[in-house]
Amino acid sequence: MHTPRAVLKNVFGYDSFRRGQEEIINEMLSGRDVLGVMPTGAGKSVCYQIPAIMSGGVSIVISPLISLMKDQVDALRSSGINAAAINSAMDWDDVRSVLWSARAGKTPLLYIAPERLDGEGFREFLSSLNVNIVVVDEAHCVSQWGHDFRPSYLAIAPAIGSLSRRPAVAAFTATATEEVKADIIRQLAMDSPFVLTTGFDRENLFFQVEHPDDKMSFLLDYTQKFPDMPGIVYCSTRKKTESVCRELVACGIKAVRYHAGLDDAEKLKNQEDFIYDRATVMVATNAFGMGIDKSNVRYVIHYNMPGSIENYYQEAGRAGRDGSPADCILLYGAEDKSTITYLIMQGEDKSTRETSFRKMRQMLDYCHTSGCLRRRILNYFGEPFQRGECGECGNCRSVTERRDITIEAQKIMSCVYRAAEKTGGKKYGPHVIADILRGHCSNASRKEQVTRFGLDAISTWGIMKDTAARDIAYIINFLAAEGYLVSDEFGALSFTERSFPFLKNKTRLLMRRHESGQKPKHERVPDKTDAKRGFFSGGVIDTLLKTVSGKKRAVFSGELFEALRKLRWEFAASEGVPPYVVFSDKTLQAMCDALPSDEYEMLSVPGVGRVKFEKYGHKFMEAIREWRER
Ligand code: ADP
Ligand code: ZN
C-alpha cells in the first residue's frame, strides 16, 4: 500500500477520490498543516485517515463526542485498521492497554476527547509517543464565534506546543465563515496551512417544499411508501414531536421520539434503536442530531419550518451522508410563522430579536420561492451557483405547474402602494392588504383600522373580491420571496427596487402552484420486470436518479436489497456495530446493480475493500446467488 490511491482501494474499497481529498492527503503527507472546510458527507475522514495509515507513527484525532469517535473506530476496525479511542466511559485497565498498544506503534489512529489534554499525565504520555499528525475534527468548536464552542479545544494548541517534535496539524469542519476559519488557524497555532474549501453543495440531496393542507397525511403517505427507509422527521416543539410520533406508530411505522424533555435513558435507547436500524423513523426536535453519524438516513422531513436557513441546512444535511440520493422535504404551514415568532418573542432579548426575525424571513422566502431551492440555499451561504438552476429540486422540476400571476401581483402591489399613499407612508401587513383587496374585513379591529384611515375608499378596495384570503397571502409571500415586496420585522409590507420596474414593464410573473390538497408526486408504482430486482418507479429519489443518470436504476428497495440488508443487519448485530459500518446503503445498492459473483467483481464494488471482502464477501455473494436462482 504505497500510494494514497492504493490505500483508498484496499482499505476503503473506493476507486477514486472525491473533490479535494487527494490534494489534502498529499499536503498532509508532505508534513504541511491543513485546514479542510467541506460539507457533511464530503468525506473528510478519509482525508486524514489515509495519511495516518501511511505515516508510520501515531495520529491523534481530537473529536468532540464519544458517539462520533465510536463510529469512526468501529468503521476503521471493520476495515482492518487498528484504531482506538480513549473516552471518559472507559475504566483504567482499558485505557492502559490502549496506551500501551499506541506506544508500541500498533495503533495508527488514536481518538481522544479534547478534555484529555487538560491532564498533565496524559500530556506526558503523549510526548512518549511518535506523534506524526494531530487531527482536529469539528474544528469550529475551537472558535468563540462558532455555534458549538468548546473551551477544552483551547487546550489543543498548548498540548501540541509541549511535544518535543511538532507534528503536522490538520483541522476539519463543515461550517466555517471567513471569521471562523481565521480563528481556527489562530487558536490552533497552525503554521501557514494549506486551506481547502470545497463548496457547500450536496449534490445527492433533493430539496422540496410542500404546502399540504394536512401535513400528517402527507407524512403518512410518504413513510408508508418507504417503510424500510431510515428517515428523520423534525418538529418544532416537544408536543408536536410526541403527537407525530404517536400517529406514525399507530399507523404501523417503526418510529421513535427524541426531545430534551425525555429522560436520558429513553433518549439513549431511542437514538440507538434508530442508529442500529431497529427503528426506522426518528421524530425529534432540533435537540437530536449533533454528533449523529448515521450515514444511511434517506430522508429528512421538516414537519415545521425551522427558524433559519442555517438550521435548516444543518438538519436537512443529516440525510444522505453516504452520498446516495436522499430527500429533504419541508412541509410549510402558515402556523409555523406564528410558532417561530412566539419563540423569538419569548426566548430572546431585544438585541438578538432583529437578527432572528431577519433569518426567519429568509426562511419564509425559501418556502415561498418558485425559483431553484438549491440555488437559494447556496446563495444564502454566499456561494454563487454556477449552473443557474439545478434542474432537479422540487421547484425546478415543477416548471409545468407554474401559473401566471402577473395580474394578481399588479393588484396586490398597487394596493400596497395606494394604502401607504393614502395614509402618509404608513405600512400595512398582509392581512390588512388582503382585506382591502377583498373589500371585506375579516375581524372587527381590522375593520376599525380600515375605516378610520379611509382605506375602504382607495381604488384597490374590493378588486380581488373572489380570491380567497389565503391565496392572496400566498402570493404576497411569493412576492416577498422574489424581492418584489419586502416586509419589516412586524410583517408590514413596502416596495423594493424591483417593484416600480415590475409595475412599469408589466413583467410576466410565474408562480409555482402549491395547491391545497396537492398530492405528493412520489407514487410508488413497481412494474413487473423490475419488481424482482428492486426497481420501482415514480419515487422522489427514483426520479432524481433518473434525472441525474438519464436511466432507470435500482433504488433501495426490492427483494435483493432487502435480503442484503438483512444479512448486513446480522453481521452488525453479531459485531455490535451499526449496520452502516458493515456496508453503506450505497454499497448494497451497487451490489444489486452489479450482481458480483466472484472475488474480482466483488472487489470492484465501491465500498468493498480487502478486509471487508475477506469478512463478508462470500456471504454476500452467496445471498446474491440464492436470489438469482430463486
Ligand atoms: P464527512 O465527515 O465529511 O461528513 P465522511 O468522512 O463520514 O464525511 O464520509 C461520508 C461517506 O462518504 C462515507 O460513507 C465514506 O465512506 C464515503 N466516502 C469517502 N470518500 C469516498 C470516496 N473517495 N469515494 C466514495 N465514497 C467515499
Ligand atoms: Zn433547483
Side-chain angles (χ1 to χ4, degrees), residues 32-339:
R32 188 168 173 196
D33 286 0
V34 161
L35 170 60
V37 183
M38 300 156 102
T40 311
K44 291 186 279 297
S45 322
V46 163
C47 291
Y48 64 80
Q49 287 165 349
I50 290 181
I53 292 165
M54 293 176 71
S55 81
V58 183
S59 294
I60 304 291
V61 185
I62 298 161
S63 173
L65 289 163
I66 295 183
S67 60
L68 284 183
M69 288 189 223
K70 184 173 176 323
D71 247 34
Q72 299 271 344
V73 170
D74 284 347
L76 283 164
R77 288 181 166 241
S78 80
S79 299
I81 302 297
N82 186 34
I86 302 179
N87 65 55
S88 50
M90 287 162 70
D91 65 29
W92 177 236
D93 275 348
D94 290 340
V95 172
R96 200 160 37 201
S97 88
V98 169
L99 295 181
W100 276 110
S101 152
R103 188 174 282 170
K106 291 184 189 150
T107 309
L109 288 113
L110 181 59
Y111 285 77
I112 61 168
E115 285 75 16
R116 277 285 144 188
L117 299 169
D118 296 339
E120 182 107 2
F122 188 79
R123 285 208 303 272
E124 243 164 56
F125 163 76
L126 267 192
S127 40
S128 73
L129 295 180
N130 174 22
V131 179
N132 282 338
I133 304 172
V134 171
V135 178
V136 184
D137 204 4
E138 310 290 345
H140 55 277
C141 294
V142 79
S143 168
Q144 263 112 329
W145 306 110
H147 42 86
D148 303 311
F149 176 56
R150 273 277 278 262
S152 49
Y153 263 63
L154 297 175
I156 298 174
I160 294 172
S162 70
L163 295 174
S164 54
R165 184 174 57 87
R166 187 185 181 282
V169 178
F172 293 92
T173 177
T175 46
T177 58
E178 290 304 318
E179 200 177 29
V180 173
K181 271 195 247 179
D183 216 20
I184 292 174
I185 293 173
R186 192 172 50 242
Q187 301 289 5
L188 293 178
M190 297 180 90
D191 181 11
S192 46
F194 170 71
V195 181
L196 188 126
T197 310
T198 64
F200 274 94
D201 193 13
R202 304 260 320 268
E203 284 174 15
N204 60 317
L205 299 187
F206 168 84
F207 291 96
Q208 181 164 13
V209 176
E210 289 289 338
H211 291 233
D213 266 351
D214 182 353
K215 292 183 178 183
M216 196 62 220
S217 63
F218 180 98
L219 184 63
L220 280 174
D221 215 39
Y222 187 95
T223 46
Q224 283 174 338
K225 266 179 198 127
F226 308 108
D228 299 318
M229 282 194 197
I232 304 175
V233 177
Y234 276 112
C235 301
S236 59
T237 62
R238 297 177 189 181
K239 218 170 122 199
K240 205 60 217 161
T241 306
E242 297 280 339
S243 63
V244 168
C245 184
R246 221 174 14 245
E247 279 219 45
L248 288 178
V249 170
C251 293
I253 306 284
K254 281 191 262 167
V256 289
R257 58 190 182 163
Y258 192 104
H259 60 68
L262 301 174
D263 61 46
D264 287 350
E266 182 178 352
K267 278 193 285 197
L268 186 67
K269 176 169 190 311
N270 293 350
Q271 175 172 319
E272 298 223 314
D273 281 351
F274 180 62
I275 287 175
Y276 288 83
D277 281 356
R278 293 188 289 260
T280 322
V281 181
M282 170 57 87
V283 186
T285 61
N286 60 7
F288 176 78
M290 171 67 178
I292 301 298
D293 220 2
K294 186 176 171 71
S295 71
N296 62 335
V297 175
R298 295 270 64 88
Y299 60 85
V300 171
I301 294 182
H302 276 75
Y303 200 82
N304 300 106
M305 179 182 84
S308 72
I309 292 189
E310 279 103 329
N311 291 353
Y312 180 62
Y313 202 49
Q314 192 179 35
E315 287 159 16
R318 295 191 174 119
R321 292 186 68 131
D322 53 10
S324 297
D327 286 352
C328 303
I329 303 176
L330 196 160
L331 307 183
Y332 176 81
E335 73 285 356
D336 293 338
K337 188 180 165 199
S338 337
T339 312

Side-chain angles (χ1 to χ4, degrees), residues 601-614:
E601 284 173 5
M602 193 54 141
L603 278 170
S604 312
V605 171
V608 184
R610 214 355 96 198
V611 172
K612 288 196 177 178
F613 174 76
E614 304 293 343

Side-chain angles (χ1 to χ4, degrees), residues 560-589:
L560 179 58
F561 188 79
E562 285 311 316
L564 300 185
R565 228 165 72 97
K566 189 155 164 288
L567 188 57
R568 173 177 72 174
W569 202 87
E570 284 162 11
F571 274 118
S574 78
E575 291 173 30
V577 298
Y580 54 84
V581 164
V582 175
F583 283 130
S584 70
D585 281 7
K586 197 171 185 167
T587 298
L588 294 193
Q589 194 56 60

Side-chain angles (χ1 to χ4, degrees), residues 526-535 552:
D527 67 50
K528 272 202 196 98
T529 43
D530 290 343
K532 200 175 173 206
R533 185 170 173 135
F535 295 133
K552 212 174 195 183

